[in-house]
Structures are given as structure tokens and as C-alpha cells.
Amino acid sequence: MIETLENLAVELGPVKAALFATIFTWLMTAVGASVVLFFKTINRAVFDTMLGFTGGVMIAASFWSLLNPSLQYAEQIYGGMPWLPVAFGFLLGGLLIFSLDKFLPHLHINFGKNETEGLPTNWHKSTLLLLAITLHNIPEGLAIGILFGAAAEHLDGSTVSAAIALAVGIGIQNIPEGMAVSMPLRRLGVSRVKSFWYGQLSAIVEPMAGVLGAVAVIYMQNILPFALSFAAGAMIFVVVEEVIPETQRDKYTDLAVLGFMLGFTIMMILDVALG
């Protein structure tokens, strides 16, 4: 199965492969959002566990799929001081999301309307929730696209496998992300269909970011180590600033930590086994 997917990705080329992979992760978000069509609420213990799982997948992907190969590629491309472009990209990725976080009005999932972040606004709480998850999805799409773009480098035959592993891992964790948007909207009184629509819409940026990441690496090959670490920095910022705090506001913190460890373990296995 994996070999078939690898061959298909090679035939499609990195840009089309990145597009289809991120469409898959988008559809997985839609699967999660579709839960709202059948249920109005979800048990908070389950919800926090799934959020923790999401954080674990993202942290594991940041290291195994992004930072580690970034250092390896930097050694091949730049030789001495391979850590320099990696460190620079990592910090810049975090700073970009930090800047967006300060300017783009948004509201984290388990926070009250009075805790809105970004510039002051009168936007509806549902819009703010949608923007929070949309911001969250940008680095995920970039990461997938960058790894498929790396396939064009031919630096390592496992690059396509690693990209597929990352897409599968992010697809799995996008299921609770879809629920994380649609379920709160439903509780706010939004209709089932609209809640589903906004839930899946939060991941529409992933295909756009995926294509952008793949194209950037193909046409600017020397930025590969920087691009990989940039996506890692952005993802880690999202986890530490958004995902983890959202799991620590109730009495289910231990379950959230266990979910985090499970997500980290699954993503690590996926990347090592497939990549």
C-alpha cells in the first residue's frame, strides 16, 4: 500500500502530490466536523484527550519529520555549521505565528469571548473560533508541502515516504480539530449544517499552504533546511501557545497528557516505520 502511494506520488510530481495529500488532510477535518451532524455535545474528557493527541502528533512531526531531516539536509547542502539555517528557520517560523497571533483576531477553543486574542474586534465568537483553527492549520499544510517538495531534491529516497507519513499523521489529528471547531459552534446555537461547514472550512488553507511549500522548495532548493525548520517552529509555537493551554483548563489534564503521549508515539512510529 505504502509502496503504491510512493509510486503514485513520484508520478504526480511533488506539487500535485502535496495538493492531493493536503486535500486528504482537509477531508479528514471534514470527517471530524461531521460528528456535529449527529451529536450536539461531546464529553469534555474525550475532547481534552483528543486535543492532547493533536499536540503529541504535532510535536513528534516537528522533530521526526522536520527538524531531524532539516539538519541532515543542511549538512549535505551547506557543510559547516548545519545548525545555523535550521536554528534561523525554526525561530522565524515561531515568530511568524507569533506575529499572526498578535494581529489576527481569534479565540481559542476553551476560552471565553473576553479572552479574544489579536486586534480588538466585534466579530462573532464563531468567526473567532474558526480563525483560531485556520491559523493552526497553516504550518501543517506547509510542512506537508515542503516534504513533498524535498522529493524533487533526490537527497534521500525516503523523502516521499516521510511526506506520506506526515500527511497520514496530520490527517489523523485533523479529525479532533474538525470537531474542535464544529462542536463549540453547535453549542453556540449555530445549525448542524453550518457548524459542519465552518468546521471543515477551517482546513481549507492546508492545500493552499501545501502547494506553496512544495513550489518554494522546488524553485529555491537551497532553502530546504530552512523551510523544514520554519514549519517545525511554526507548529511547535501553535502547540505550546494554543493546544496545550486549551487542555489544561479543566479537571482532565491527566487524560490530555496521556492523549499527548499517544499522539507523539503514533506519529513517531509512522515516521520511523514509513520514513
Side-chain angles (χ1 to χ4, degrees):
M1 178 65 174
I2 296 300
E3 185 177 350
T4 301
L5 290 175
E6 282 186 49
N7 293 335
L8 179 61
V10 171
E11 290 177 10
L12 288 172
V15 175
K16 288 183 179 179
L19 175 62
F20 283 112
T22 46
I23 286 175
F24 162 74
T25 60
W26 174 25
L27 291 176
M28 294 297 279
T29 304
V31 170
S34 69
V35 173
V36 79
L37 299 174
F38 309 98
F39 304 97
K40 186 172 183 178
T41 60
I42 183 172
N43 184 279
R44 186 56 186 267
V46 174
F47 191 70
D48 284 350
T49 302
M50 290 192 299
L51 279 180
F53 179 90
T54 293
V57 169
M58 293 179 71
I59 291 292
S62 296
F63 176 74
W64 297 101
S65 298
L66 300 172
L67 284 176
N68 191 40
S70 175
L71 285 166
Q72 294 176 3
Y73 294 147
E75 289 178 355
Q76 296 180 47
I77 295 173
Y78 296 107
M81 293 195 299
W83 51 266
L84 185 59
V86 176
F88 181 69
F90 181 81
L91 293 174
L92 196 60
L95 285 173
L96 173 65
I97 302 299
F98 171 79
S99 300
L100 292 174
D101 193 68
K102 292 302 178 186
F103 289 100
L104 181 67
H106 63 283
L107 178 66
H108 297 318
I109 296 164
N110 293 327
F111 288 52
K113 181 68 183 292
N114 62 332
E115 296 177 279
T116 300
E117 297 183 4
L119 296 175
T121 180
N122 292 321
W123 291 350
H124 193 273
K125 186 176 180 179
S126 60
T127 303
L128 297 171
L129 284 168
L130 175 63
L131 287 173
I133 299 296
T134 300
L135 181 64
H136 182 153
N137 283 325
I138 293 173
E140 295 176 4
L142 273 176
I144 294 172
I146 289 167
L147 276 186
F148 275 108
E153 293 286 310
H154 302 295
L155 295 174
D156 190 335
S158 67
T159 300
V160 173
S161 301
I164 292 172
L166 180 61
V168 171
I170 288 180
I172 292 172
Q173 64 99 41
N174 272 4
I175 295 175
E177 281 191 5
M179 296 172 62
V181 178
S182 62
M183 299 303 288
L185 294 181
R186 181 65 180 141
R187 289 198 299 270
L188 289 172
V190 180
S191 71
R192 294 177 188 271
V193 174
K194 282 189 176 180
S195 296
F196 165 74
W197 174 255
Y198 288 124
Q200 63 81 31
L201 192 63
S202 65
I204 190 64
V205 295
E206 288 196 3
M208 302 176 194
V211 169
L212 178 64
V215 170
V217 171
I218 290 170
Y219 289 100
M220 294 177 284
Q221 297 179 0
N222 287 340
I223 71 165
L224 177 57
F226 168 83
L228 288 167
S229 60
F230 179 90
M235 289 177 68
I236 287 179
F237 184 93
V238 167
V239 174
V240 177
E241 195 274 337
E242 176 185 337
V243 178
I244 291 177
E246 288 170 2
T247 67
Q248 303 300 302
R249 295 172 66 87
D250 271 309
K251 59 183 178 181
Y252 304 111
T253 56
D254 288 345
L255 290 176
V257 173
L258 291 174
F260 180 97
M261 295 182 69
L262 178 62
F264 187 98
T265 302
I266 289 176
M267 186 64 232
M268 178 179 67
I269 291 172
L270 280 172
D271 192 83
V272 174
L274 302 182

